[in-house]
Amino acid sequence: MSGLIYVEGLTKRFGNETVVDDVTFTLEPNTATALIGPNGAGKTTTLSMLTHLLEPTSGMVVVNGKANQDFRNKIGFLSQYPKFYGWMNPLEYLEMAARLSGVEAKSARHESEKALDFVGLGDAKKKKIGGFSGGMRQRLGLAQAIVHKPTFLFLDEPVSALDPLGRRELLNLIKELQHKTTILYSTHILNDAEEMTDQLLFLRKGKLIEQGSLTDIQQKYEEAHYEVHFASVEDAAQFVDASPLPAHQENEQVYISINEEQPAMQQVLESIVHSGLPVNKVERARASLEQIFLKVVNGK
Amino acid sequence: MSQFTVLFQKEWKESVRSLKWVWIPIVFILLGIMEPITTYFLPQILESAGNMPDGAVFQLPEMTPGQIFGSALGQYQFIGMLIIAFAFSGLVAKERKNGTAAFLYVRPLSYSSYILSKWSNSLLLLLASFVVGISASAYYIHLLFGEFSLAKFFGMIGIYSLWIVVALSMTLLMSALFSPGIATALSIFLIVFFPMIDGLILRYWPWTPWKLYSYAAMLMAGDAPNADLWWTIAIAVLLVIVCVTLSILIAKKRAAKVTL
């Protein structure tokens, strides 16, 4: 079955406060979408509405052409701090999860073991969850989200609470699911989004303020410029004074911005050679996702 | 039905591994045998406590088995109910608060299976504990105080069991409605404190489920069942159905309160 979601005008108000405000987007089948925004932007609330934990104030969610239907049997969900019954072992937990999501009793054990092997908990399947580390819990969380082979995978800050090693492990696992499942995950860690995404959704104060593919957004917000590192502050100042290019100086560095009538690299180099000053480094720099994030989120 | 089976198994394992199946029966047995034993040995206990003036003579009233059963039920009515309020008021509220319920709620969960699995598993535990406890009590009462009517004994078990069902159902409803702390406080009010004042404030209304305890004790003490008892039973059954149904509806409504 294809995993297409179309969300239109999704809104959630708590009293006077509008937490999610008229959000519209599409999740194409088998793509990964990152929901990006600062804390309190409405990421978790949006995911809660998609997973039927919260009733939207208005708007609709169309799944494979059907509006506002309960599609929880097709969802896998992982939260930032997944909580388990500490007295259970992973195998028991996954069997329960699988059967509650409609997996037949006969195949529940097999599917559970497969999911545990996938996340690397095959050896710990009979150990008490109570003694698990944060990384193991998160991997178990991923296992319970995929044990019933859902069409949609919703992940709420899946790796934010983990150490670098745990993050890497979990990201690699999620990447293996990419292009097999329709994934929507929220994050404020931009490197993660850069690494694994077909579409970016920027949320700020409940509003969807920017969306598109990573390259589209990078192009749109790109402030490409040349960075020239001089040997000394004096050299840099001398260069800025002498050069006809639009340049400004910060310590040893000189920034030359690229505008409509772009100064090509050649022009920059000629200008440097002409000045006869010693140079350590010349590069053409692009805005990182982090710079774009700050720009989009600060509304500049 | 399969969801119910899965969830019932989960509740069962949880109550076994948290040792509820050990300590609750033990406490219920102790509550049952305490009354006949202490009453029987009261003269010796007083004597060995000493500091009695020489020649002091006690006229302790002769207790009938029915009266002893009545005071044994009194133990369940206070300590037993406290245990229910503390051990079961978290059934729904705690899972919702600590976040373990999140992964149930994001699945196509049947809320009736969810609530009924908790209700039935807890009842099984409580009723088994009560029957074992009151039977232990009966053994000592038979041994120390003599014969009693077996038919009335079973009648008393039936009536008081219904009260346990009512008490658990109310506790479950509080747990579905409120956060853990408030649920415990209100459960204590409803099943420990209210039965004490029910006789005062609802004096002229003989059919409240809180009077089931008195009816059970009175039956054992010799009163024949009358129409009031049947009405009380009918209303108690109705209250149980209302509590459980409301719990199911509220469990669904409270999805938004589930900690993620």
Side-chain angles (χ1 to χ4, degrees):
Chain A
M1 86 163 296
S2 72
L4 175 72
I5 292 191
Y6 173 60
V7 173
E8 187 180 281
L10 197 66
T11 301
K12 182 71 193 176
R13 270 190 284 278
F14 294 110
N16 289 327
E17 203 187 348
T18 307
V19 184
V20 173
D21 192 358
D22 196 19
V23 167
T24 299
F25 61 85
T26 306
L27 303 181
E28 297 288 345
N30 300 330
T31 59
T33 301
L35 194 58
I36 300 176
N39 291 329
K43 303 188 295 281
T44 301
T45 311
T46 303
L47 287 172
S48 297
M49 284 190 280
L50 288 178
T51 49
H52 284 258
L53 283 175
L54 280 181
E55 198 66 32
T57 309
S58 63
M60 66 179 180
V61 179
V62 184
V63 180
N64 294 329
K66 288 178 193 143
N68 294 341
Q69 282 202 340
D70 191 342
F71 63 112
R72 284 182 300 173
N73 53 345
K74 300 191 177 65
I75 297 178
F77 178 76
L78 170 61
S79 57
Q80 183 174 6
Y81 304 104
K83 295 290 183 334
F84 304 99
Y85 304 105
W87 49 268
M88 271 193 175
N89 69 43
L91 191 59
E92 287 172 329
Y93 191 84
L94 282 200
E95 276 189 77
M96 178 182 83
R99 294 206 53 198
L100 288 179
S101 280
V103 176
E104 292 286 314
K106 281 176 291 190
S107 44
R109 163 149 312 196
H110 177 65
E111 293 299 329
S112 302
E113 289 187 332
K114 249 170 60 184
L116 284 173
D117 286 335
F118 173 72
V119 300
L121 288 176
D123 295 335
K125 66 184 179 193
K126 292 276 172 70
K127 295 196 175 123
K128 288 265 177 301
I129 300 173
F132 275 23
S133 68
M136 290 167 89
R137 279 166 199 263
Q138 209 72 16
R139 280 187 279 154
L140 179 58
L142 185 65
Q144 65 79 34
I146 60 170
V147 67
H148 52 294
K149 302 205 179 91
T151 320
F152 304 100
L153 196 54
F154 298 146
L155 313 166
D156 188 14
E157 304 266 359
V159 296
S160 302
L162 298 177
D163 62 34
L165 194 68
R167 253 180 62 198
R168 174 66 18 225
E169 283 176 355
L170 201 72
L171 273 176
N172 288 342
L173 290 173
I174 299 172
K175 268 171 140 176
E176 280 189 51
L177 299 164
Q178 204 184 356
H179 306 309
K180 292 177 197 153
T181 318
T182 305
I183 302 177
L184 175 65
Y185 65 102
S186 71
T187 183
H188 60 255
I189 301 177
L190 296 151
N191 288 335
D192 302 346
E194 229 161 349
E195 204 168 309
M196 176 186 69
T197 185
D198 300 303
Q199 182 184 212
L200 293 168
L201 303 171
F202 281 87
L203 273 182
R204 179 170 55 109
K205 291 183 186 154
K207 285 201 169 69
L208 189 61
I209 48 173
E210 189 60 78
Q211 59 180 313
S213 73
L214 183 61
T215 37
D216 285 353
I217 288 185
Q218 263 172 341
Q219 261 166 23
K220 183 168 173 187
Y221 285 88
E222 185 169 57
E223 260 189 6
H225 56 267
Y226 293 104
E227 250 181 76
V228 186
H229 293 236
F230 286 93
S232 71
V233 181
E234 291 75 27
D235 290 351
Q238 203 184 327
F239 176 80
V240 172
D241 286 343
S243 171
L245 296 169
H248 78 274
Q249 177 208 357
E250 260 174 45
N251 300 324
E252 288 93 7
Q253 285 119 47
V254 170
Y255 298 95
I256 304 163
S257 55
I258 300 168
N259 42 34
E260 293 305 312
E261 52 279 2
Q262 293 184 356
M265 184 61 124
Q266 201 156 356
Q267 258 183 292
V268 175
L269 291 176
E270 272 170 14
S271 179
I272 294 167
V273 172
H274 185 74
S275 72
L277 296 162
V279 165
N280 286 344
K281 184 174 153 196
V282 181
E283 71 173 343
R284 189 192 154 131
R286 290 170 81 182
S288 69
L289 192 53
E290 184 147 343
Q291 285 164 321
I292 295 176
F293 174 74
L294 289 172
K295 237 160 108 177
V296 174
V297 163
N298 291 330
K300 279 181 199 155
Chain B
M1 194 60 204
S2 89
Q3 280 219 347
F4 177 81
T5 318
V6 173
L7 290 166
F8 186 86
Q9 278 169 359
K10 177 237 156 196
E11 291 299 323
W12 172 265
K13 279 184 201 162
E14 183 163 25
S15 54
V16 169
R17 292 193 197 165
S18 65
L19 298 182
K20 269 188 184 164
W21 271 101
V22 176
W23 71 265
I24 292 182
I26 290 178
V27 174
F28 272 49
I29 290 171
L30 289 176
L31 291 178
I33 62 178
M34 213 158 67
E35 208 55 40
I37 292 180
T38 49
T39 311
Y40 184 78
F41 290 106
L42 195 58
Q44 285 92 322
I45 293 168
L46 288 176
E47 216 167 273
S48 64
N51 59 30
M52 284 289 173
D54 278 347
V57 177
F58 288 100
Q59 270 308 195
L60 290 171
E62 277 288 318
M63 299 286 269
T64 64
Q67 286 167 317
I68 305 289
F69 271 117
S71 19
L73 281 190
Q75 298 288 339
Y76 291 112
Q77 191 65 2
F78 184 61
I79 300 172
M81 289 303 131
L82 268 181
I83 287 173
I84 295 181
F86 276 107
F88 296 94
S89 58
L91 275 179
V92 184
K94 226 166 83 189
E95 287 199 346
R96 198 165 53 208
K97 174 109 178 170
N98 69 17
T100 47
F103 288 146
L104 305 180
Y105 271 72
V106 295
R107 298 176 187 284
L109 180 71
S110 143
Y111 297 100
S112 51
S113 297
Y114 181 59
I115 291 295
L116 286 175
S117 67
K118 289 177 178 299
W119 183 76
S120 53
N121 184 66
S122 310
L123 270 187
L124 192 66
L125 167 56
L126 283 172
L127 294 181
S129 303
F130 172 65
V131 170
V132 170
I134 199 75
S135 303
S137 186
Y139 171 77
Y140 280 99
I141 289 173
H142 175 76
L143 213 65
L144 305 173
F145 295 91
E147 299 288 324
F148 54 85
S149 150
L150 216 54
K152 283 182 177 171
F153 175 67
F154 288 127
M156 173 191 73
I157 288 186
I159 296 170
Y160 199 77
S161 293
L162 179 60
W163 162 245
I164 290 179
V165 180
V166 172
L168 180 82
S169 304
M170 288 196 287
T171 305
L172 182 72
L173 178 60
M174 293 304 111
S175 191
L177 271 169
F178 301 105
S179 59
I182 298 173
T184 309
L186 288 176
S187 300
I188 292 174
F189 174 79
L190 280 174
I191 68 173
V192 182
F193 184 66
F194 200 81
M196 299 180 195
I197 57 170
D198 168 80
L200 295 173
I201 61 175
L202 296 176
R203 193 169 174 177
Y204 298 105
W205 198 51
W207 301 343
T208 72
W210 289 277
K211 293 193 178 70
L212 281 169
Y213 154 67
S214 316
Y215 284 120
M218 274 155 54
L219 180 76
M220 202 65 219
D223 286 15
N226 56 22
D228 283 347
L229 172 64
W230 299 117
W231 275 111
T232 310
I233 288 175
I235 287 173
V237 171
L238 199 69
L239 183 66
V240 169
I241 294 170
V242 168
C243 281
V244 174
T245 312
L246 276 180
S247 300
I248 293 170
L249 294 175
I250 289 159
K252 188 177 178 185
K253 274 255 170 223
R254 287 284 190 271
K257 301 252 171 173
V258 172
T259 307
L260 275 188

